[in-house]
Amino acid sequence: MTPFGHPLGPAQPSDDAARLLDESGLSYLADRWYLRVDGRDDPIAVRIAEVAPDRMTVRNADYGYEGNIGDPFVLMVPTDRLTRT
């Protein structure tokens, strides 16, 4: 699991899980993610800006969304509102 509760892979023995974490490193933080926004059918593209034990901040990276590029969204952790590309 990522620090914000997103699974990196299926449940597996601890040695295999540790290897998966090592292989993933922090690269998943740089990926584009999609955020489900209330009142909108399609999720918007976001980039992770900050992750803390109790919350995270993502920033709008979707030119088709009505907000400004870079607008922050603060999410409580763990969250199920994000999906990876």
Side-chain angles (χ1 to χ4, degrees):
M1 302 286 271
T2 66
F4 47 93
H6 185 81
L8 287 174
Q12 51 194 297
S14 60
D15 287 345
D16 294 338
R19 191 174 309 106
L20 177 60
L21 285 173
D22 288 342
E23 290 170 1
S24 296
L26 296 177
S27 65
Y28 62 87
L29 293 176
D31 287 345
R32 182 173 292 224
W33 290 77
Y34 290 94
L35 173 67
R36 287 192 308 279
V37 177
D38 292 337
R40 185 178 167 99
D41 291 335
D42 296 324
I44 65 168
V46 295
R47 298 280 185 181
I48 296 171
E50 178 183 6
V51 178
D54 61 340
R55 69 176 192 264
M56 69 183 297
T57 303
V58 297
R59 295 196 176 270
N60 178 22
D62 194 320
Y63 289 98
Y65 182 61
E66 4 348 289
N68 293 321
I69 294 297
D71 280 351
F73 295 88
V74 177
L75 309 171
M76 301 309 292
V77 170
T79 184
D80 62 355
R81 295 177 56 194
L82 287 176
T83 55
R84 201 169 180 187
T85 58

